[in-house]
Amino acid sequence: MHMVWKTLGLLGWVITMDMGKVADGAVSENVMKMIGVINSMGPYLGVVVPNTFEMAPLLNSPSFLPHQHLPFLDFAGRRFRIGAVETRKVVVVMSGLSTINAGIATQLLLSLFHIEGVVHFGIAGNANPQLQIGDVTIPHYWAHTGLWNWQRWGDDADDELALESAGDYTREIGYLRFSDYNNNNTTYGSVSTDNFLNRVWYQPEEIFSVDGHPEVRQHAFWVPVDALYLSLAKNLEGMKLERCMNSTCLPRAPEVVMVERGVSANVFVDNAAYREFLRSKFNATPIDMESAAVALVCLQQRKPFIAIRALSDLAGGGSSVSNEADAFAPLAAQNAVSVMLSFVNLTVPHVGAR
């Protein structure tokens, strides 16, 4: 064991000196050695966090214990933090904002390290009028709602989309018709014109499964979370969560709520009409910018995953609580971390991918 710690210390020094020399994205020999040492101490549960303020409550929690000799590895602009939540070994990475950053971070996590499964957590907008700010949602399904086929003006819902016959696009999921929303478009004085934006049709993602044939695409829209993880998470209903931030308190104590669906796109939704559309069209509750990307990568890599999202605002829906996003994002982030930590403690080590 002494030789292991000595090796870790030496490799840590070498990797620190070597990291600045790797500028082309390739994995250097020294980095590969370090990853080999890290993986020899695994397997790990992967934890993906969107941003710094969502990460901070985790790093400040007494439940998170950085590895004594190898607390992190920096690669490709990411810091992979090695440690444990209580006795559960974890690798934690901050993805950054948006689906592309979340997808890249998750793929790097799964490609570099011996990861059994992935837990993703953060804050989200709320499309469900039955829930309140501070509630922590755990959806059964996630979808990316940012891949569209934008139909030309003059075509109707019965008209085939461009490239639909080739199998690239579909009308099965449905559309958003912009002309259903008044844009007060007038030309030449008071003469009203048509809304040329027509429709956008929602599309499934193309996926390429790790155990499938290379370059043979499949499609996925609603991605289910891991069944075992979901069953474990149900034990968290009734968990006590923070209600007040400084001197401002929520109308009731927040709750952990199992919901049917969450959606993600590269859009910060602060618009009541689109919020209501997402709710009525997709039965969505949390609206965020990362979870579906984590879900899609894990689906392709055949790794179990779950996403935990605390509601920080009403996505433009209005509230009796003023300035909800600014006021309650820190409280929501803390509640998300608390639920994530409790979930990790419920997981059983060496749970394989299903």
Side-chain angles (χ1 to χ4, degrees):
M1 184 61 72
H2 177 71
M3 276 303 296
V4 172
W5 298 140
K6 184 176 180 180
T7 302
L8 286 173
L10 177 61
L11 282 173
W13 178 80
V14 171
I15 199 74
T16 301
M17 299 298 292
D18 187 68
M19 286 308 296
K21 301 178 183 178
V22 184
D24 61 359
V27 184
S28 72
E29 183 179 351
N30 285 329
V31 172
M32 288 304 298
K33 288 179 180 178
M34 178 64 80
I35 291 171
V37 172
I38 293 170
N39 286 335
S40 71
M41 299 183 293
Y44 301 89
L45 190 67
V47 180
V48 181
V49 193
N51 290 304
T52 302
F53 78 92
E54 292 158 311
M55 173 86 80
L58 170 59
L59 300 184
N60 294 329
S61 170
S63 295
F64 176 70
L65 305 173
H67 194 282
Q68 184 177 359
H69 299 278
L70 187 57
F72 62 85
L73 182 145
D74 291 342
F75 181 74
R78 264 75 181 185
R79 172 160 290 186
F80 296 90
R81 302 174 189 271
I82 318 302
V85 172
E86 302 296 347
T87 59
R88 190 68 158 97
K89 296 177 182 178
V90 296
V91 177
V92 182
V93 61
M94 188 184 79
S95 66
L97 182 75
S98 83
T99 54
I100 188 168
N101 276 324
I104 290 170
T106 305
Q107 185 63 66
L108 284 171
L109 175 72
L110 297 181
S111 296
L112 297 176
F113 301 101
H114 185 182
I115 302 296
E116 294 179 320
V118 175
V119 180
H120 174 59
F121 75 91
I123 65 172
N126 175 27
N128 187 343
Q130 302 303 314
L131 301 183
Q132 73 160 25
I133 291 169
D135 286 344
V136 177
T137 61
I138 304 177
H140 189 179
Y141 296 93
W142 283 93
H144 177 216
T145 53
L147 183 57
W148 296 350
N149 183 310
W150 204 316
Q151 196 173 27
R152 70 175 62 189
W153 181 72
D155 282 1
D156 206 337
D158 294 331
D159 293 313
E160 187 175 274
L161 302 175
L163 302 180
E164 182 181 351
S165 61
D168 292 325
Y169 299 103
T170 180
R171 282 174 290 158
E172 292 181 1
I173 296 170
Y175 62 83
L176 166 63
R177 184 171 181 261
F178 285 100
S179 56
D180 289 339
Y181 300 88
N182 182 12
N183 65 356
N184 295 318
N185 185 13
T186 59
T187 306
Y188 306 115
S190 61
V191 179
S192 178
T193 64
D194 289 337
N195 188 327
F196 297 132
L197 293 176
N198 203 0
R199 297 171 177 82
V200 292
W201 292 82
Y202 290 87
Q203 301 299 317
E205 286 282 355
E206 288 186 353
I207 63 170
F208 299 87
S209 297
V210 67
D211 54 359
H213 295 288
E215 299 182 355
V216 175
R217 66 180 179 177
Q218 300 171 348
H219 290 93
F221 189 71
W222 291 113
V223 181
V225 307
D226 182 72
L228 174 59
Y229 285 5
L230 189 67
S231 66
L232 292 174
K234 290 178 181 178
N235 294 307
L236 301 175
E237 292 179 304
M239 180 177 168
K240 184 178 181 180
L241 299 172
E242 291 295 328
R243 178 182 178 186
C244 299
M245 177 59 62
N246 299 323
S247 60
T248 305
C249 294
L250 294 164
R252 63 163 172 80
E255 301 172 349
V256 178
V257 185
M258 312 301 294
V259 298
E260 186 67 12
R261 295 174 176 178
V263 295
S264 308
N266 281 346
V267 179
F268 184 92
V269 178
D270 193 28
N271 181 275
Y274 194 57
R275 168 190 187 260
E276 292 168 4
F277 171 82
L278 289 174
R279 179 64 180 172
S280 62
K281 181 68 178 178
F282 298 117
N283 191 30
T285 296
I287 306 169
D288 69 29
M289 301 173 74
E290 296 86 21
S291 295
V294 178
L296 284 160
V297 171
C298 289
L299 174 66
Q300 295 180 79
Q301 298 301 311
R302 295 293 188 256
K303 293 292 183 180
F305 91 99
I306 194 167
I308 298 167
R309 286 284 182 159
L311 306 177
S312 63
D313 62 90
L314 297 179
S319 171
S320 59
V321 182
S322 62
N323 300 318
E324 67 239 9
D326 292 336
F328 289 104
L331 182 146
Q334 181 59 62
N335 283 347
V337 169
S338 297
V339 174
M340 183 278 295
L341 292 172
S342 295
F343 172 79
V344 170
N345 283 327
L346 292 175
T347 63
V348 179
H350 312 302
V351 175
R354 289 171 295 283

